[in-house]
Every structure is written in structure tokens, then in C-alpha cells.
């Protein structure tokens, strides 16, 4: 006898939609058809090296499951890389608040120990909390 539990089915359903979008990254799938586009805000926050710009992707309903800090890594397009933006959108459509900061050192291929402090400041930013962060 099989007994299905509704929350497990719902999680499985959303997981399949997200994996399907990731596997078919360049084409829009069912997740895009069944969810609204994220609300994207540009914000800034302070780090030990100064102000950092970031994009905040939020579900339109405002009911995010949790926050995700998405780091662009060492790439010249930084937070504006089309692949990173698409991935952030997929995560947001799945119900997460996604915080994508711009790290100038990594964007210019100059990785240093100071990047750790910037990532820590991004992690501590209130963008992954339920209350709305300050716009900047």
C-alpha cells in the first residue's frame, strides 16, 4: 500500500519543474508558464571596501521560502551575466529570494583575500530576510 503525503508531492513537483528548467536552460519551460516573473530590484550595501551594488530577485507574491546568496565568481560580466541572471530567475520562480551582488575584484579577474570580506558582508546583508531591505 502506498500512502502519499501532499507536501512531499508538492516538493517533488516543484523540484521536477526546477530541474527541467535547468536542464533546458536556454528555453522557457513549464516553470515559466506557471509562475510570474520575479520582481528585480537594484540595491546597494556596505562592505569593508565600500558600497557594493546588487540585484535582488523576489517572488511577486512576496512569500519567499528562504534567501539565497548567488555569487557570480570570476567572470568579466559579473552579476549581469545572462546565464547567472537566468539561474537567479529560475530559483526565484521556485520561491526563493535571490541576492546577486557585484564583486568588482572578481569581475576584473583580481581575486584577493579582501573578496572574503565582501562575500561575508553580502551574506550578512538583510536581503535574505523576510523584511524588505533598504534600496540604494
Amino acid at each position: 500500500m502506498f500512502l502519499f503525503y501532499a507536501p512531499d508531492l508538492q516538493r517533488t513537483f516543484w523540484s521536477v519543474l526546477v530541474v527541467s528548467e535547468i536542464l533546458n536552460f536556454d528555453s522557457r519551460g513549464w516553470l515559466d508558464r506557471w509562475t510570474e516573473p520575479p520582481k528585480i530590484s537594484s540595491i546597494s550595501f556596505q562592505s569593508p571596501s565600500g558600497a557594493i551594488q546588487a540585484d535582488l530577485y523576489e517572488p511577486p507574491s512576496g512569500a519567499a521560502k528562504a534567501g539565497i546568496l548567488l555569487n557570480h565568481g570570476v567572470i568579466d560580466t559579473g552579476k549581469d551575466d545572462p546565464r547567472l541572471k537566468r539561474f537567479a530567475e529560475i530559483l526565484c520562480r521556485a520561491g526563493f529570494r535571490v541576492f546577486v551582488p557585484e564583486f568588482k575584484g572578481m569581475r576584473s579577474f583580481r581575486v584577493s583575500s579582501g573578496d572574503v570580506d565582501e562575500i561575508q558582508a553580502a551574506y550578512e546583508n538583510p536581503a535574505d530576510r523576510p523584511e524588505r531591505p533598504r534600496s540604494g
Side-chain angles (χ1 to χ4, degrees), residues 90-108:
I90 290 170
L91 293 173
C92 186
R93 284 178 179 268
F96 295 94
R97 179 179 287 114
V98 184
F99 187 59
V100 186
E102 178 78 73
F103 298 114
K104 292 177 186 172
M106 290 183 182
R107 187 171 181 164
S108 61

Side-chain angles (χ1 to χ4, degrees), residues 101-119:
E102 178 78 73
F103 298 114
K104 292 177 186 172
M106 290 183 182
R107 187 171 181 164
S108 61
F109 298 97
R110 289 178 296 181
V111 179
S112 71
S113 60
D115 295 331
V116 174
D117 295 331
E118 289 184 349
I119 294 170

Side-chain angles (χ1 to χ4, degrees), residues 10-31:
Q10 187 178 18
R11 264 192 300 264
T12 301
F13 174 75
W14 283 102
S15 297
V16 168
L17 285 179
V18 169
V19 169
S20 174
E21 288 290 320
I22 291 171
L23 291 175
N24 299 298
F25 203 69
D26 293 330
S27 60
R28 305 272 174 176
W30 289 106
L31 186 66

Side-chain angles (χ1 to χ4, degrees), residues 66-135:
I68 295 176
L69 171 62
L70 189 56
N71 185 350
H72 59 73
V74 181
I75 187 167
D76 62 345
T77 52
K79 70 174 180 59
D80 296 322
D81 185 82
R83 296 164 296 185
L84 187 71
K85 292 174 92 153
R86 175 75 175 123
F87 187 51
E89 180 185 353
I90 290 170
L91 293 173
C92 186
R93 284 178 179 268
F96 295 94
R97 179 179 287 114
V98 184
F99 187 59
V100 186
E102 178 78 73
F103 298 114
K104 292 177 186 172
M106 290 183 182
R107 187 171 181 164
S108 61
F109 298 97
R110 289 178 296 181
V111 179
S112 71
S113 60
D115 295 331
V116 174
D117 295 331
E118 289 184 349
I119 294 170
Q120 179 69 31
Y123 178 77
E124 292 172 351
N125 190 279
D128 63 350
R129 297 185 193 133
E131 65 271 3
R132 178 88 174 139
R134 293 176 295 165
S135 295

